[in-house]
Each structure stands twice: as C-alpha cells, then as structure tokens.
C-alpha cells in the first residue's frame, strides 16, 4: 500500500511560487522516484506549522509515520524506501553525489544568494519580510541592498565558481553521466531558486551550464521550466 506523502515547501507571497533550492532538490528526487506528494506552502515565519519536525527549516517530508528534514537526508530516505524505483544515486556514486550537494550548498548557494537577496525579500509575504531582512543581514553582515549592490562582480564570481561544473559538462550531458541523477538536481535547485524569484540571468547563453540547466528544466514534463515564478517566461 502506498503511504501518504506530504512535502512542506517554502513559498513566496504568491503561494504558487515555491523557490527554495533545497525543496526543489526534493521535488526532483520525488519525480525521479515516481513518488507523488501533497505539496504544502510554508512561509519563513510559519515555524509552528513544522514544529512537529523538531526544527524550523524546510523541506520537511512526511512519509506515512516518518518525518524527515534536510534535503540530503530526504533523498537518502527515498532511495532506501523505494529500492525498485529508478535509482537516485546509481552504482557507487552516492558519496560523490554527497560531495556535489555540499559544493552546491557551500560554494553556489551563498554566491547566488548575494545576487538575488533583494528579489527574494521583495517577493515574500509581508509578514515574512522583517524576519528575512533581519536574519539575512545578520548572516551577510550588511544591509540586503548593499550585499547585492555590485551585481556584475557577483555574477563574474559565480561564473568562476561554476568552472568545475562547466568542465564536466563539456564531456557529458549530465553531472551523473548520460542520465540525470541527484547530483544534477542538487545543483539545479540553486538555479530554479533564482528563476522563481528573480529576472536576473545568472548564465551566459553559450555556457555549457546554461544548456545543462535547459535540459534539466525540460525533464519530467518540464517540471522546472513550468515552475510558477514572479517572472513571466515562455514555458514552451
Ligand atoms: N540543509 C538543509 C537546509 C534547509 C534550509 O536552509 N531551508 C531554508 C529554505 S531554502 C529554510 O527553511 N529557511 C527558514 C529560515 O531561514 O528561517 C536542507 O538541505 O534541506
């Protein structure tokens, strides 16, 4: 019997705009595993709604009686729970996917955050704005507008940080090889995050990373490309 699955996802003022990179990793992991989930919008300040998980961050996945937090742990849980569904990690690649996930979180997330912080703020529900401003200004040590002020420099820095990914994608279509797996989704989450809340284009059109992102936006019936966003884009 299939178990009921619920995913709590970070939402902007528009509840359809679900922009968290970590939640997107889980959306892709669920799609890859062919597991349906009820998706519940959650706001930064709705801490009570997920207090049952023992912490205050999303994604939170409720799977039958199990409550899971942290996208990496959720991916591992899904892989174990659904061994007969398409493999998220494949062969012995799980430790490598863990590294990629850590690289995306450590090297890409803070760089992209600096670029889109103000856009995120402006698209939050009003009740979330003071919390976001205060917590992120503390984290980045400056007013949001100041953190994002030198955008050309920040984009250049992001471009340089993407060099390892760019190199790999010159010789294969996906990080995981011929087919996409969790390693790809953990990096893609960062780009969908930006796409949901900002018009800023992070990648040059001729960048192999741009083409890789396009391929991933189109899989699973255009899951990423069709993601509700504050920006009106062609989805075809
Ligand atoms: N390592 C966690 C990170 C989760 C995380 O930082 N989630 C953010 C949304 S992207 C959050 O819930 N933030 C709530 C807050 O800042 O209060 C994961 O991979 O799931």
């Amino acid at each position: 019997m299939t178990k009921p699955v619920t995913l709590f996802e970070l939402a902007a003022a528009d509840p359809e705009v679900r922009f968290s990179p970590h939640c997107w990793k889980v959306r892709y992991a669920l799609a890859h595993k062919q597991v349906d989930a009820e998706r519940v919008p959650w706001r930064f300040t709705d801490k009570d709604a997920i207090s049952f998980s023992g912490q205050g961050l999303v994604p939170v996945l409720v799977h039958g009686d199990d409550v899971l937090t942290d996208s990496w742990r959720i991916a591992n849980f899904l892989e174990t729970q659904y061994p007969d569904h398409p493999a998220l990690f494949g062969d012995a690649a799980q430790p490598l996917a863990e590294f990629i996930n850590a690289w995306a979180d450590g090297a890409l997330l803070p760089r992209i955050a600096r670029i889109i912080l103000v856009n995120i703020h402006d698209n939050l529900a009003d009740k979330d704005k003071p919390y976001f401003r205060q917590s992120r200004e503390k984290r980045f040590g400056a007013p949001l507008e100041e953190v994002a002020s030198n955008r050309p420099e920040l984009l250049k820095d992001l471009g340089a940080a993407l060099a390892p990914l760019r190199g790999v994608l010159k010789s294969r279509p996906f990080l995981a090889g011929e087919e996409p797996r969790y390693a790809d989704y953990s990096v893609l989450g960062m780009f969908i995050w930006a796409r949901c809340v900002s018009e800023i284009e992070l990648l040059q059109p001729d960048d192999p990373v741009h083409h890789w992102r396009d391929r991933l936006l189109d899989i699973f019936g255009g899951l990423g490309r069709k993601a509700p966003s504050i920006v009106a884009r062609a989805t075809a």
Side-chain angles (χ1 to χ4, degrees):
M1 204 181 86
T2 50
K3 295 192 171 160
V5 184
T6 306
L7 175 65
F8 288 81
E9 293 180 315
L10 184 60
D14 176 348
E16 290 308 312
V17 175
R18 314 280 172 90
F19 60 96
S20 156
H22 307 294
C23 294
W24 273 104
K25 295 176 193 175
V26 174
R27 287 287 305 284
Y28 268 73
L30 287 165
H32 188 108
K33 281 291 190 190
Q34 299 163 354
V35 174
D36 288 329
E38 184 197 350
R39 298 163 52 222
V40 177
W42 178 89
R43 304 272 173 42
F44 278 114
T45 45
D46 294 339
K47 297 292 182 199
D48 286 352
I50 55 167
S51 60
F52 66 88
S53 71
Q55 51 91 67
L57 305 176
V58 290
V60 173
L61 187 85
V62 183
H63 183 277
D65 294 334
D66 291 304
V67 175
L68 285 304
T69 60
D70 187 89
S71 52
W72 176 246
R73 284 207 294 262
I74 293 170
N76 281 280
F77 172 85
L78 292 172
E79 190 75 323
T80 314
Q81 282 288 318
Y82 297 94
D84 300 334
H85 292 214
L88 264 179
F89 304 116
D91 302 333
Q94 197 249 17
L96 297 180
E98 184 173 15
F99 169 80
I100 303 280
N101 187 55
W103 174 72
D105 288 1
L108 301 184
L109 186 145
R111 285 183 166 86
I112 296 176
R114 283 187 175 83
I115 299 168
I116 63 172
L117 271 178
V118 176
N119 306 103
I120 297 176
H121 173 270
D122 292 351
N123 287 289
L124 292 176
D126 283 342
K127 65 171 187 164
D128 276 6
K129 286 181 179 169
Y131 168 84
F132 184 81
R133 178 173 287 281
Q134 195 192 19
S135 59
R136 271 44 182 185
E137 290 189 344
K138 189 169 170 211
R139 184 179 299 174
F140 289 93
L144 298 185
E145 290 71 14
E146 214 174 280
V147 175
S149 63
N150 193 351
R151 191 187 298 163
E153 201 51 45
L154 294 173
L155 286 169
K156 212 169 121 194
D157 178 52
L158 174 65
L162 287 167
L165 176 60
R166 192 171 294 122
V168 164
L169 293 175
K170 280 182 186 147
S171 58
R172 51 190 202 234
F174 298 104
L175 260 175
E178 290 304 311
E179 302 291 335
R181 294 186 194 272
Y182 194 77
D184 292 277
Y185 310 150
S186 60
V187 180
L188 178 72
M190 306 296 148
F191 288 101
I192 302 188
W193 170 41
R195 200 180 144 82
C196 285
V197 292
S198 172
E199 289 186 54
I200 301 168
E201 178 51 70
L202 300 176
L203 301 168
Q204 300 294 324
D206 59 348
D207 189 337
V209 181
H210 193 295
H211 302 311
W212 162 87
R213 183 183 62 181
D214 275 345
R215 286 193 285 279
L216 287 167
L217 289 174
D218 287 333
I219 62 171
F220 304 134
L223 178 63
R225 194 169 300 282
K226 291 180 190 158
S229 159
I230 57 114
V231 185
R233 289 190 180 90
T235 53

